[in-house]
Amino acid sequence: MSQDEKVAKELVETLKDGEQGFTSAAEKLRDSDRAEWASTLQRLAQQRKDFGREIVELGHEYGDDVDESGTVAAAVHRGWISLKDALTGDDADKVLDAALTGEDHAVSEYEKALDADLSAGFREVVSRQHAAVVSARDEVRALRDAG
């Protein structure tokens, strides 16, 4: 397995987690006193879905199947997110805390990816997505801090 393929698989799983996490958070906030935050979180869920699709399509161009089942580490992370979700309930600030934890994880995964020996084309995609993920984390943090 190439380094690109290995990194792509990890990022796709991280992006799936983010998409699901943001979607869940948006659903929880839709009927809360912070309903306006739901549209931001839904937009970020769509961004993660689009980023995952972009990586999968790039992998297919290289002949890699990067959209198969994920790693044990990713599965453990998804389980932790589910546990965190179950504990936070509908409190808007706690929902954003959980989203911020997920975003910290996503930024970390992208930074780890950028430390890897990637092909130039894949590195360009990862670098661009990393900047957007950092921006999203900052946006979630600003929402939480404003609340």
Side-chain angles (χ1 to χ4, degrees), residues 107-122:
V107 168
S108 173
E109 287 298 305
Y110 270 90
E111 288 171 352
K112 190 166 51 171
L114 289 169
D115 286 340
D117 183 23
L118 303 177
S119 67
F122 187 46

Side-chain angles (χ1 to χ4, degrees), residues 57-127:
E57 288 172 3
L58 186 62
H60 289 164
E61 288 176 22
Y62 290 118
D64 295 333
D65 184 10
V66 299
D67 196 27
E68 54 193 46
S69 64
T71 64
V72 172
V76 168
H77 178 67
R78 283 192 301 278
W80 183 88
I81 290 291
S82 297
L83 175 62
K84 179 77 172 179
D85 187 54
L87 296 175
T88 59
D90 291 328
D91 179 275
D93 292 326
K94 289 182 181 178
V95 169
L96 285 181
D97 283 341
L100 191 54
T101 297
E103 284 304 272
D104 286 339
H105 173 76
V107 168
S108 173
E109 287 298 305
Y110 270 90
E111 288 171 352
K112 190 166 51 171
L114 289 169
D115 286 340
D117 183 23
L118 303 177
S119 67
F122 187 46
R123 177 171 296 285
E124 183 180 317
V125 169
V126 171
S127 181

